[in-house]
Amino acid sequence: MRDLVKYGYTTLTISTLLISYCLIFNPESWIVYSIAIVFIPLFILSLGLITMATPEKDEEEDRINEPFIGY
Amino acid sequence: MNLMAIIIINVLISFLFGSILLGFHRKIMARIQLRPGPPIIQYFLHSLKFFFKETAFPKTASMPFYLSIVCILCGIWIAAIIIGPVLKGSLLLLFAIYAVYKIVEHNAGSSSGSPYGKMSCVRAVFSASSELPLFAVIAIIYLQVGSMNISDIINYQSIHGPLILKLPLVAIVLFVLILSKSPYSPFGITKGKDIISGYETEHFGLMRGYIMLSDSISWYMLSWMFLTIFFGNLSVLSYVVGMLVIAFLTGLINATTPILNPNHSVMSQISMALIGLLGSLLLMFFVF
């Protein structure tokens, strides 16, 4: 779970940099489209990974790798 | 204006307005069923709320596929926004995006390893076999207009009038396609309540919020596509009214119709596609 938050920060940095690059330098269209299709979703996902609540230390084992419930 | 800024503005508008439309759709369904229903803004608030919820990952989920599939779902609808409102490009590309969307729905179901997800994954293939023929009626639009480009379709309508008057059956068939994408749709077999939430069953917390965000974008996009193809270049106010009317009509139908079983859903959609296709050809050659 902690690793996911770390990945979240890394992805957020990369996607913010690339989106800012397109906003500032206005590169060729195909580069903008590629960055938009790949990195806008990654930007949103990384925001989610950072903002999602993480379990307490002692509860962590019960929460990760949750088996299916309800069937 | 900067291209990336245009794309980001369009994505933001589609998310905000799409989620309001889905909230309105839910309100209409509630009112028809004599319930007060949640506020119209509830769908939007739910989408944001889930981003702050704790997320657990099932033991049987195939990581990182389980996580990346929701990313791909968002990516394909952003691609649709680029092809549609930003570029006014080819309808054929939108058809391809819809086909990829069905594959993503299928894979989202299988990625969690849940039996409900797997059932939904099988149903996604069934529904693809009926929804893609529905979308294929865009071939009739090509026969009428002579181009698949949305900008050419808009130009054609500014000279010859709205296409809905020339191709009413095609409009009905594409409306059925939008209907099958709406929540609680009679054709929504991939999210039927008999399989809990289908492919979304094991995607909760952050990932549920992300799927809701993509659903808002897709709902806006499909409504935009319908209005642009059949009514031409509309003003912002006309788009808003048109999208509200589509949400109202789908809400009305969904509130009063039970979810069909997969066989009936597929067969009725294929029948509608065939009637729409052949009927439109007859209308084109013998009436107009």
Side-chain angles (χ1 to χ4, degrees), chain A:
Chain A
M1 199 64 78
R2 311 273 168 210
D3 283 344
L4 277 178
V5 178
K6 246 187 279 173
Y7 293 142
Y9 277 110
T10 316
T11 320
L12 182 72
T13 314
I14 296 169
S15 48
T16 310
L17 283 174
L18 285 170
I19 292 168
S20 314
Y21 163 72
C22 291
L23 283 171
I24 298 163
F25 296 104
N26 208 3
E28 276 186 60
S29 306
W30 69 270
I31 300 175
V32 179
Y33 299 143
S34 316
I35 290 176
I37 292 168
V38 177
F39 288 96
I40 291 178
L42 277 177
F43 177 81
I44 301 167
L45 179 73
S46 58
L47 277 183
L49 287 174
I50 292 164
T51 54
M52 75 175 180
T54 45
E56 298 291 322
K57 261 278 179 225
D58 52 332
E59 285 178 344
E60 197 163 15
E61 269 310 300
D62 302 333
R63 302 292 176 88
I64 54 170
N65 296 329
E66 179 74 20
F68 291 121
I69 48 168
Y71 72 93

Side-chain angles (χ1 to χ4, degrees), chain B residues 21-23 25-26 29 43 178-186 188 191 215 219 250-251 254-255 259:
Chain B
L21 284 172
L22 287 173
H25 176 276
R26 200 170 161 192
M29 283 187 70
Y43 193 92
I178 294 177
L179 182 66
S180 48
K181 184 74 192 69
S182 63
Y184 307 102
S185 159
K191 290 189 205 170
D215 279 348
W219 183 255
T250 50
N254 296 355
I259 294 179

Side-chain angles (χ1 to χ4, degrees), chain A residues 23 33 41 51 63 66 68, chain B residues 2 51 54 60 87 202 210:
Chain A
L23 283 171
Y33 299 143
T51 54
R63 302 292 176 88
E66 179 74 20
F68 291 121
Chain B
N2 185 292
F51 275 87
E54 195 180 316
T60 46
L87 285 179
E202 295 294 339
Y210 206 176

Side-chain angles (χ1 to χ4, degrees), chain B residues 75-92:
Chain B
I76 58 169
W77 287 114
I78 288 177
I81 291 288
I82 293 172
I83 295 161
V86 175
L87 285 179
K88 299 203 169 50
S90 174
L91 268 182
L92 212 53

Side-chain angles (χ1 to χ4, degrees), chain B residues 14-33:
Chain B
S14 58
F15 165 55
L16 294 174
F17 195 53
S19 56
I20 298 292
L21 284 172
L22 287 173
F24 177 68
H25 176 276
R26 200 170 161 192
K27 190 78 172 173
I28 295 294
M29 283 187 70
R31 289 293 183 184
I32 289 166
Q33 293 165 346

